[in-house]
Coordinates of all heavy atoms in Angstrom, one line a residue:
D131 N -90.9 -4.3 72.5 CA -91.7 -5.0 71.5 C -91.8 -4.2 70.3 O -92.3 -3.1 70.3 CB -93.1 -5.3 72.1 CG -93.9 -6.2 71.3 OD1 -93.4 -6.8 70.3 OD2 -95.1 -6.3 71.6
L132 N -91.4 -4.8 69.1 CA -91.4 -4.0 67.9 C -92.6 -4.3 67.0 O -92.7 -3.9 65.8 CB -90.2 -4.4 67.1 CG -88.8 -4.0 67.7 CD1 -87.7 -4.6 66.9 CD2 -88.7 -2.5 67.8
C133 N -93.6 -5.0 67.6 CA -94.8 -5.3 66.8 C -96.1 -5.3 67.7 O -96.7 -6.3 67.9 CB -94.7 -6.6 66.0 SG -94.2 -7.9 67.0
I134 N -96.3 -4.2 68.3 CA -97.4 -4.0 69.2 C -98.8 -4.4 68.6 O -99.6 -5.0 69.3 CB -97.5 -2.6 69.8 CG1 -96.2 -2.3 70.6 CG2 -98.7 -2.3 70.6 CD1 -96.0 -0.9 70.9
N135 N -99.0 -4.1 67.4 CA -100.3 -4.4 66.7 C -100.4 -5.7 66.0 O -101.3 -6.0 65.4 CB -100.6 -3.3 65.7 CG -100.8 -1.9 66.4 OD1 -101.3 -1.8 67.5 ND2 -100.3 -0.9 65.7
N136 N -99.3 -6.5 66.2 CA -99.3 -7.9 65.5 C -99.2 -8.9 66.6 O -98.2 -9.1 67.2 CB -98.1 -7.9 64.6 CG -98.2 -9.2 63.7 OD1 -98.8 -10.2 64.1 ND2 -97.6 -9.1 62.5
K137 N -100.3 -9.6 66.8 CA -100.3 -10.7 67.9 C -99.7 -12.0 67.5 O -99.5 -12.8 68.3 CB -101.8 -10.9 68.3 CG -102.5 -9.7 68.7 CD -102.0 -9.2 70.0 CE -102.9 -8.0 70.5 NZ -102.2 -7.2 71.4
K138 N -99.2 -12.1 66.2 CA -98.7 -13.3 65.7 C -97.1 -13.3 65.7 O -96.5 -14.4 65.7 CB -99.1 -13.6 64.3 CG -100.6 -13.7 64.2 CD -101.1 -13.9 62.8 CE -102.6 -14.0 62.7 NZ -103.1 -14.0 61.4
I139 N -96.5 -12.1 65.8 CA -95.1 -12.0 65.8 C -94.6 -11.4 67.1 O -95.2 -10.5 67.7 CB -94.7 -11.0 64.7 CG1 -95.1 -11.5 63.3 CG2 -93.2 -10.7 64.7 CD1 -94.3 -12.7 62.8
F140 N -93.5 -12.0 67.6 CA -92.8 -11.4 68.8 C -91.4 -11.0 68.3 O -90.6 -11.8 67.8 CB -92.7 -12.5 69.8 CG -92.1 -12.0 71.1 CD1 -92.8 -11.1 71.9 CD2 -90.9 -12.5 71.6 CE1 -92.3 -10.6 73.1 CE2 -90.4 -12.0 72.8 CZ -91.1 -11.1 73.5
A141 N -91.2 -9.7 68.4 CA -89.9 -9.1 67.9 C -89.4 -8.1 68.9 O -90.1 -7.3 69.5 CB -90.1 -8.4 66.5
Y142 N -88.0 -8.2 69.1 CA -87.4 -7.2 70.0 C -85.9 -7.1 69.7 O -85.4 -7.9 68.9 CB -87.6 -7.8 71.5 CG -87.0 -9.1 71.7 CD1 -85.6 -9.3 72.1 CD2 -87.7 -10.3 71.4 CE1 -85.1 -10.5 72.3 CE2 -87.1 -11.5 71.7 CZ -85.8 -11.6 72.1 OH -85.3 -12.9 72.3
T143 N -85.3 -6.0 70.2 CA -83.9 -5.8 70.1 C -83.2 -5.9 71.4 O -83.9 -5.6 72.4 CB -83.6 -4.5 69.4 OG1 -84.1 -3.4 70.2 CG2 -84.1 -4.4 68.0
R144 N -82.0 -6.2 71.4 CA -81.1 -6.2 72.6 C -79.8 -5.5 72.2 O -79.2 -5.9 71.2 CB -80.9 -7.6 73.2 CG -82.1 -8.2 73.8 CD -82.6 -7.4 75.1 NE -83.8 -8.0 75.7 CZ -85.0 -7.6 75.5 NH1 -85.2 -6.6 74.6 NH2 -86.0 -8.1 76.1
T145 N -79.4 -4.6 73.0 CA -78.1 -3.9 72.8 C -77.2 -4.1 74.0 O -77.6 -3.9 75.1 CB -78.3 -2.4 72.5 OG1 -79.2 -2.3 71.4 CG2 -77.0 -1.7 72.1
Y146 N -75.9 -4.4 73.7 CA -74.9 -4.6 74.7 C -73.6 -4.3 74.1 O -73.2 -4.8 73.1 CB -74.9 -6.0 75.3 CG -73.9 -6.3 76.4 CD1 -74.1 -5.7 77.7 CD2 -72.8 -7.0 76.2 CE1 -73.2 -5.9 78.7 CE2 -71.9 -7.2 77.1 CZ -72.1 -6.7 78.4 OH -71.1 -6.9 79.4
N147 N -72.8 -3.4 74.8 CA -71.4 -3.1 74.3 C -71.5 -2.7 72.8 O -70.7 -3.1 72.0 CB -70.4 -4.2 74.5 CG -70.0 -4.4 75.9 OD1 -70.2 -3.5 76.7 ND2 -69.5 -5.5 76.3
N148 N -72.4 -1.8 72.5 CA -72.5 -1.3 71.1 C -72.9 -2.3 70.0 O -72.7 -2.1 68.9 CB -71.3 -0.5 70.7 CG -71.0 0.7 71.6 OD1 -72.0 1.4 71.9 ND2 -69.8 1.0 71.9
E149 N -73.3 -3.5 70.4 CA -73.8 -4.5 69.5 C -75.3 -4.6 69.7 O -75.8 -4.7 70.8 CB -73.2 -5.8 69.7 CG -71.8 -5.9 69.2 CD -71.3 -7.4 69.2 OE1 -72.0 -8.3 69.6 OE2 -70.2 -7.6 68.7
T150 N -76.0 -4.6 68.6 CA -77.5 -4.8 68.6 C -77.9 -6.1 67.9 O -77.5 -6.3 66.8 CB -78.2 -3.6 68.0 OG1 -77.8 -2.4 68.7 CG2 -79.7 -3.7 68.0
L151 N -78.8 -6.8 68.6 CA -79.4 -8.0 68.0 C -80.9 -7.8 67.8 O -81.5 -7.2 68.7 CB -79.1 -9.2 68.9 CG -77.7 -9.6 69.1 CD1 -77.6 -10.8 70.1 CD2 -77.0 -9.9 67.8
L152 N -81.4 -8.3 66.7 CA -82.8 -8.2 66.4 C -83.3 -9.6 66.3 O -82.9 -10.4 65.5 CB -83.1 -7.4 65.1 CG -84.5 -7.5 64.5 CD1 -85.5 -6.9 65.4 CD2 -84.5 -6.9 63.1
C153 N -84.3 -9.9 67.2 CA -84.9 -11.3 67.2 C -86.4 -11.1 66.7 O -87.1 -10.3 67.2 CB -84.9 -11.9 68.6 SG -85.5 -13.5 68.6
I154 N -86.8 -12.0 65.8 CA -88.1 -12.0 65.2 C -88.6 -13.4 65.2 O -88.0 -14.3 64.6 CB -88.2 -11.4 63.8 CG1 -87.5 -10.1 63.7 CG2 -89.6 -11.3 63.3 CD1 -87.2 -9.6 62.3
S155 N -89.8 -13.6 65.8 CA -90.3 -15.0 65.9 C -91.8 -15.0 65.5 O -92.6 -14.2 66.0 CB -90.2 -15.6 67.3 OG -88.8 -15.6 67.7
N156 N -92.2 -16.0 64.8 CA -93.6 -16.3 64.4 C -94.0 -17.5 65.2 O -93.5 -18.6 65.0 CB -93.7 -16.6 62.9 CG -95.1 -17.0 62.5 OD1 -96.0 -17.0 63.3 ND2 -95.2 -17.5 61.3
F157 N -94.9 -17.3 66.1 CA -95.4 -18.4 67.0 C -96.7 -19.0 66.5 O -97.5 -19.5 67.3 CB -95.5 -17.9 68.4 CG -94.2 -17.7 69.1 CD1 -93.8 -16.4 69.4 CD2 -93.4 -18.7 69.4 CE1 -92.5 -16.2 70.0 CE2 -92.2 -18.5 70.0 CZ -91.7 -17.3 70.3
T158 N -97.0 -18.9 65.2 CA -98.2 -19.5 64.7 C -97.9 -20.6 63.7 O -96.8 -20.8 63.3 CB -99.1 -18.4 63.9 OG1 -98.4 -18.1 62.7 CG2 -99.3 -17.2 64.8
D159 N -99.0 -21.3 63.3 CA -98.8 -22.4 62.3 C -99.1 -21.9 60.9 O -99.3 -22.7 60.0 CB -99.7 -23.6 62.6 CG -101.1 -23.2 62.7 OD1 -101.5 -22.0 62.5 OD2 -101.9 -24.2 62.8
K160 N -99.0 -20.6 60.7 CA -99.3 -19.9 59.3 C -98.2 -19.0 59.0 O -97.4 -18.5 59.8 CB -100.6 -19.1 59.4 CG -101.8 -19.8 59.9 CD -102.6 -20.5 58.9 CE -103.9 -21.0 59.3 NZ -104.0 -22.3 59.8
N161 N -98.0 -18.7 57.7 CA -97.1 -17.7 57.2 C -97.6 -16.4 57.7 O -98.8 -16.1 57.6 CB -97.0 -17.7 55.7 CG -96.2 -18.9 55.1 OD1 -95.6 -19.6 55.9 ND2 -96.3 -19.1 53.8
V162 N -96.6 -15.5 58.1 CA -97.0 -14.2 58.6 C -96.1 -13.1 57.9 O -94.8 -13.3 57.9 CB -96.9 -14.1 60.1 CG1 -97.2 -12.7 60.6 CG2 -97.8 -15.1 60.8
K163 N -96.6 -12.1 57.4 CA -95.9 -11.0 56.8 C -95.5 -10.0 57.9 O -96.2 -9.7 58.8 CB -96.7 -10.2 55.8 CG -95.9 -9.2 55.0 CD -96.9 -8.4 54.1 CE -97.4 -9.2 52.9 NZ -98.1 -8.4 51.9
Y164 N -94.2 -9.6 57.8 CA -93.7 -8.7 58.8 C -92.8 -7.6 58.2 O -91.8 -8.0 57.4 CB -92.9 -9.4 59.9 CG -92.3 -8.5 61.0 CD1 -93.1 -7.9 61.9 CD2 -90.9 -8.3 61.0 CE1 -92.5 -7.1 62.9 CE2 -90.4 -7.5 62.0 CZ -91.2 -6.9 62.9 OH -90.6 -6.1 63.9
K165 N -93.0 -6.3 58.5 CA -92.2 -5.3 57.9 C -91.0 -5.0 58.9 O -91.3 -4.7 60.1 CB -93.0 -4.0 57.7 CG -92.1 -2.9 57.1 CD -92.9 -1.7 56.8 CE -91.9 -0.7 56.1 NZ -92.5 0.6 55.9
L166 N -89.8 -5.2 58.5 CA -88.7 -5.0 59.3 C -88.6 -3.6 59.8 O -88.8 -2.7 59.0 CB -87.4 -5.4 58.6 CG -87.2 -6.9 58.4 CD1 -86.0 -7.2 57.4 CD2 -87.0 -7.7 59.7
P167 N -88.2 -3.4 61.1 CA -88.0 -2.0 61.6 C -86.8 -1.3 60.9 O -85.9 -2.0 60.5 CB -87.8 -2.2 63.1 CG -87.2 -3.5 63.2 CD -87.8 -4.4 62.1
K168 N -86.8 0.0 60.9 CA -85.7 0.8 60.3 C -84.7 0.9 61.4 O -84.9 1.6 62.4 CB -86.2 2.1 59.9 CG -87.2 2.1 58.8 CD -86.7 2.6 57.5 CE -87.8 2.8 56.5 NZ -87.8 1.8 55.5
L169 N -83.6 0.2 61.3 CA -82.5 0.2 62.3 C -81.2 0.7 61.5 O -81.0 0.2 60.4 CB -82.3 -1.1 62.9 CG -83.4 -1.7 63.7 CD1 -83.2 -3.1 64.1 CD2 -83.7 -0.8 65.0
E170 N -80.4 1.5 62.1 CA -79.1 1.9 61.5 C -78.2 0.7 61.4 O -78.0 0.0 62.3 CB -78.5 3.0 62.3 CG -79.2 4.3 62.2 CD -78.4 5.5 62.8 OE1 -77.2 5.5 62.7 OE2 -79.1 6.4 63.4
G171 N -77.6 0.6 60.2 CA -76.6 -0.4 60.0 C -77.2 -1.6 59.1 O -78.3 -1.6 58.8
E172 N -76.3 -2.4 58.7 CA -76.6 -3.6 57.9 C -77.0 -4.8 58.8 O -76.5 -4.9 59.9 CB -75.5 -4.0 57.0 CG -75.1 -2.9 55.9 CD -74.0 -3.4 55.0 OE1 -73.9 -4.6 54.8 OE2 -73.3 -2.5 54.6
K173 N -77.8 -5.6 58.2 CA -78.2 -6.8 59.0 C -77.4 -8.0 58.6 O -77.1 -8.2 57.4 CB -79.7 -7.2 58.7 CG -80.7 -6.2 59.1 CD -82.1 -6.7 58.8 CE -82.4 -7.0 57.4 NZ -82.4 -6.0 56.4
E174 N -76.9 -8.8 59.6 CA -76.3 -10.1 59.3 C -77.1 -11.1 60.0 O -77.3 -11.1 61.2 CB -74.9 -10.0 59.9 CG -74.1 -11.4 59.8 CD -72.8 -11.4 60.6 OE1 -72.4 -10.3 61.1 OE2 -72.2 -12.5 60.7
L175 N -77.5 -12.1 59.2 CA -78.3 -13.2 59.8 C -77.4 -14.1 60.6 O -76.5 -14.7 60.0 CB -79.1 -13.9 58.7 CG -80.1 -15.0 59.1 CD1 -81.2 -14.4 59.9 CD2 -80.6 -15.7 57.9
L176 N -77.7 -14.3 61.9 CA -76.8 -15.1 62.7 C -77.5 -16.5 63.0 O -76.7 -17.5 63.1 CB -76.6 -14.5 64.1 CG -75.9 -13.1 64.2 CD1 -75.8 -12.7 65.6 CD2 -74.5 -13.3 63.6
L177 N -78.8 -16.5 63.1 CA -79.4 -17.8 63.4 C -80.8 -17.8 62.8 O -81.5 -16.8 62.8 CB -79.6 -17.9 65.0 CG -80.2 -19.1 65.6 CD1 -79.2 -20.3 65.4 CD2 -80.4 -18.9 67.1
N178 N -81.2 -19.0 62.3 CA -82.5 -19.1 61.7 C -82.9 -20.6 61.7 O -82.0 -21.5 61.8 CB -82.6 -18.5 60.3 CG -81.5 -19.1 59.4 OD1 -80.3 -18.9 59.7 ND2 -81.9 -19.7 58.3
N179 N -84.1 -20.9 61.6 CA -84.5 -22.3 61.5 C -85.1 -22.7 60.2 O -85.7 -23.8 60.1 CB -85.4 -22.7 62.7 CG -86.7 -21.9 62.7 OD1 -86.7 -20.8 62.3 ND2 -87.8 -22.4 63.3
Y180 N -85.1 -21.8 59.2 CA -85.5 -22.1 57.8 C -84.4 -21.5 56.9 O -83.7 -20.6 57.3 CB -86.8 -21.4 57.4 CG -88.1 -22.1 57.9 CD1 -88.7 -21.7 59.1 CD2 -88.6 -23.1 57.2 CE1 -89.9 -22.3 59.5 CE2 -89.8 -23.7 57.6 CZ -90.4 -23.3 58.8 OH -91.6 -23.9 59.2
E181 N -84.3 -22.0 55.7 CA -83.4 -21.4 54.7 C -83.9 -20.0 54.3 O -85.1 -19.8 54.1 CB -83.5 -22.3 53.4 CG -82.5 -21.8 52.3 CD -81.1 -22.3 52.6 OE1 -80.9 -23.3 53.3 OE2 -80.2 -21.6 52.1
V182 N -83.0 -19.0 54.3 CA -83.4 -17.6 54.0 C -82.5 -17.2 52.8 O -81.3 -17.3 52.8 CB -83.1 -16.7 55.2 CG1 -83.3 -15.3 54.8 CG2 -83.9 -17.1 56.4
E183 N -83.2 -16.8 51.7 CA -82.5 -16.5 50.5 C -82.0 -15.0 50.5 O -80.9 -14.8 50.0 CB -83.4 -16.7 49.3 CG -83.7 -18.2 49.1 CD -84.6 -18.5 47.9 OE1 -84.7 -17.6 47.0 OE2 -85.2 -19.6 47.9
N184 N -82.8 -14.1 50.9 CA -82.5 -12.7 50.8 C -82.7 -12.0 52.2 O -83.8 -11.8 52.6 CB -83.3 -12.0 49.7 CG -82.9 -10.6 49.5 OD1 -82.0 -10.0 50.2 ND2 -83.6 -9.9 48.6
I185 N -81.6 -11.6 52.9 CA -81.8 -11.0 54.2 C -82.0 -9.5 54.1 O -82.2 -8.8 55.1 CB -80.7 -11.3 55.1 CG1 -79.4 -10.6 54.7 CG2 -80.5 -12.8 55.3 CD1 -78.4 -10.6 55.8
N186 N -82.0 -8.9 52.9 CA -82.1 -7.5 52.7 C -83.4 -7.0 52.3 O -83.6 -5.9 51.9 CB -81.0 -7.0 51.7 CG -79.6 -7.2 52.2 OD1 -79.3 -6.9 53.3 ND2 -78.7 -7.7 51.4
E187 N -84.4 -7.8 52.5 CA -85.8 -7.4 52.2 C -86.3 -6.5 53.3 O -86.0 -6.6 54.4 CB -86.7 -8.7 52.0 CG -86.3 -9.6 50.9 CD -87.1 -10.9 50.9 OE1 -87.2 -11.5 52.0 OE2 -87.5 -11.2 49.8
E188 N -87.2 -5.6 52.9 CA -87.9 -4.7 53.8 C -89.1 -5.4 54.5 O -89.3 -5.2 55.7 CB -88.4 -3.5 53.1 CG -87.8 -2.2 53.6 CD -88.4 -1.0 52.9 OE1 -89.5 -0.6 53.3 OE2 -87.8 -0.5 52.0
V189 N -89.8 -6.2 53.7 CA -90.9 -7.0 54.3 C -90.5 -8.5 54.1 O -90.2 -8.9 53.0 CB -92.2 -6.7 53.5 CG1 -93.3 -7.5 54.0 CG2 -92.5 -5.2 53.7
I190 N -90.7 -9.2 55.2 CA -90.4 -10.7 55.1 C -91.6 -11.5 55.4 O -92.6 -11.0 56.0 CB -89.2 -11.0 56.1 CG1 -89.7 -10.7 57.6 CG2 -88.0 -10.3 55.8 CD1 -88.7 -11.2 58.6
I191 N -91.6 -12.7 54.9 CA -92.6 -13.7 55.2 C -92.0 -14.7 56.1 O -91.1 -15.4 55.7 CB -93.2 -14.4 53.9 CG1 -93.7 -13.3 52.9 CG2 -94.3 -15.4 54.3 CD1 -94.9 -12.5 53.4
L192 N -92.5 -14.7 57.4 CA -92.0 -15.7 58.3 C -92.9 -17.0 58.2 O -94.1 -16.9 58.2 CB -92.1 -15.2 59.7 CG -91.1 -14.1 60.1 CD1 -91.4 -13.4 61.4 CD2 -89.7 -14.6 60.1
R193 N -92.3 -18.1 58.0 CA -93.0 -19.3 57.9 C -93.4 -19.8 59.3 O -93.0 -19.3 60.3 CB -92.1 -20.4 57.2 CG -92.0 -20.0 55.7 CD -90.9 -20.7 55.1 NE -89.7 -19.9 55.4 CZ -88.5 -20.0 54.7 NH1 -88.4 -21.0 53.8 NH2 -87.5 -19.3 55.0
P194 N -94.3 -20.8 59.4 CA -94.8 -21.3 60.7 C -93.6 -21.6 61.7 O -92.7 -22.3 61.3 CB -95.5 -22.6 60.3 CG -96.0 -22.4 58.9 CD -94.9 -21.6 58.3
Y195 N -93.7 -21.0 62.8 CA -92.8 -21.2 63.9 C -91.3 -20.8 63.6 O -90.4 -21.3 64.2 CB -92.8 -22.6 64.5 CG -94.2 -23.0 64.8 CD1 -94.9 -23.9 64.0 CD2 -94.8 -22.5 65.9 CE1 -96.2 -24.2 64.3 CE2 -96.2 -22.8 66.2 CZ -96.9 -23.7 65.4 OH -98.1 -24.0 65.7
E196 N -91.2 -19.9 62.6 CA -89.9 -19.4 62.2 C -89.3 -18.4 63.1 O -90.1 -17.5 63.6 CB -89.9 -18.9 60.8 CG -88.5 -18.4 60.3 CD -88.5 -18.0 58.8 OE1 -89.6 -18.0 58.2 OE2 -87.4 -17.6 58.3
T197 N -88.0 -18.4 63.4 CA -87.3 -17.4 64.2 C -86.1 -17.0 63.4 O -85.4 -17.8 62.8 CB -86.9 -17.9 65.5 OG1 -88.1 -18.2 66.3 CG2 -86.1 -16.9 66.3
R198 N -85.8 -15.7 63.4 CA -84.6 -15.2 62.8 C -83.9 -14.3 63.8 O -84.6 -13.5 64.5 CB -84.9 -14.4 61.5 CG -85.5 -15.2 60.4 CD -85.6 -14.3 59.2 NE -86.4 -15.0 58.2 CZ -86.6 -14.5 57.0 NH1 -86.1 -13.3 56.6 NH2 -87.3 -15.2 56.1
L199 N -82.6 -14.4 63.9 CA -81.8 -13.5 64.8 C -80.8 -12.8 63.9 O -80.0 -13.4 63.2 CB -81.1 -14.4 65.8 CG -80.2 -13.6 66.8 CD1 -81.1 -12.6 67.7 CD2 -79.4 -14.5 67.7
Y200 N -80.9 -11.5 63.9 CA -80.0 -10.6 63.1 C -79.0 -9.9 64.0 O -79.5 -9.4 65.1 CB -80.8 -9.6 62.3 CG -81.7 -10.2 61.2 CD1 -83.0 -10.4 61.5 CD2 -81.2 -10.4 60.0 CE1 -83.9 -10.9 60.5 CE2 -82.0 -10.9 58.9 CZ -83.3 -11.1 59.2 OH -84.2 -11.6 58.2
K201 N -77.8 -9.7 63.5 CA -76.9 -8.7 64.2 C -76.9 -7.5 63.3 O -76.8 -7.6 62.1 CB -75.5 -9.3 64.2 CG -74.5 -8.4 64.8 CD -73.1 -9.0 64.9 CE -72.1 -8.1 65.4 NZ -70.7 -8.8 65.5
I202 N -77.1 -6.3 63.9 CA -77.1 -5.1 63.2 C -75.7 -4.5 63.3 O -75.2 -4.2 64.4 CB -78.2 -4.1 63.8 CG1 -79.5 -4.8 63.9 CG2 -78.3 -2.8 63.0 CD1 -80.1 -5.3 62.7
K203 N -75.1 -4.3 62.2 CA -73.7 -3.8 62.1 C -73.6 -2.4 61.8 O -74.4 -1.9 61.0 CB -72.8 -4.6 61.1 CG -72.9 -6.1 61.3 CD -71.8 -6.8 60.5 CE -72.3 -7.5 59.3 NZ -71.3 -8.1 58.5

């Protein structure tokens, strides 16, 4: 769990065969600010349910029930 102190966000990573995925989900009906963890490599957005303009931000605002799945390269 990458957000122990944040009860509104569920975030975790999974690694398999040297590939790492980062999943971040907002399970509330409000916008929630989330600081992305420092992970080695660049992020590639693989899946999302809202339009995302800039994936290179350090702090993101997740909209209600938004989920993003990143591949860390």
Side-chain angles (χ1 to χ4, degrees):
D131 185 11
L132 297 173
C133 51
I134 295 169
N135 296 324
N136 190 334
K137 304 293 184 202
K138 298 175 182 178
I139 298 289
F140 187 65
Y142 59 92
T143 60
R144 291 293 180 262
T145 303
Y146 180 74
N147 286 341
N148 295 322
E149 283 193 356
T150 300
L151 299 178
L152 168 63
C153 183
I154 308 165
S155 298
N156 173 8
F157 288 109
T158 72
D159 61 353
K160 307 271 190 271
N161 286 349
V162 177
K163 186 185 291 188
Y164 179 71
K165 183 175 182 185
L166 291 171
K168 301 249 188 253
L169 298 172
E170 286 191 36
E172 294 182 31
K173 297 183 302 294
E174 175 187 353
L175 187 61
L176 296 179
L177 183 70
N178 54 300
N179 59 332
Y180 281 98
E181 184 79 25
V182 176
E183 292 180 20
N184 183 2
I185 69 163
N186 294 315
E187 297 173 314
E188 241 182 80
V189 176
I190 61 174
I191 304 295
L192 291 170
R193 288 161 277 194
Y195 307 105
E196 181 174 3
T197 294
R198 296 185 189 183
L199 180 65
Y200 293 96
K201 179 179 178 179
I202 308 303
K203 305 193 252 178

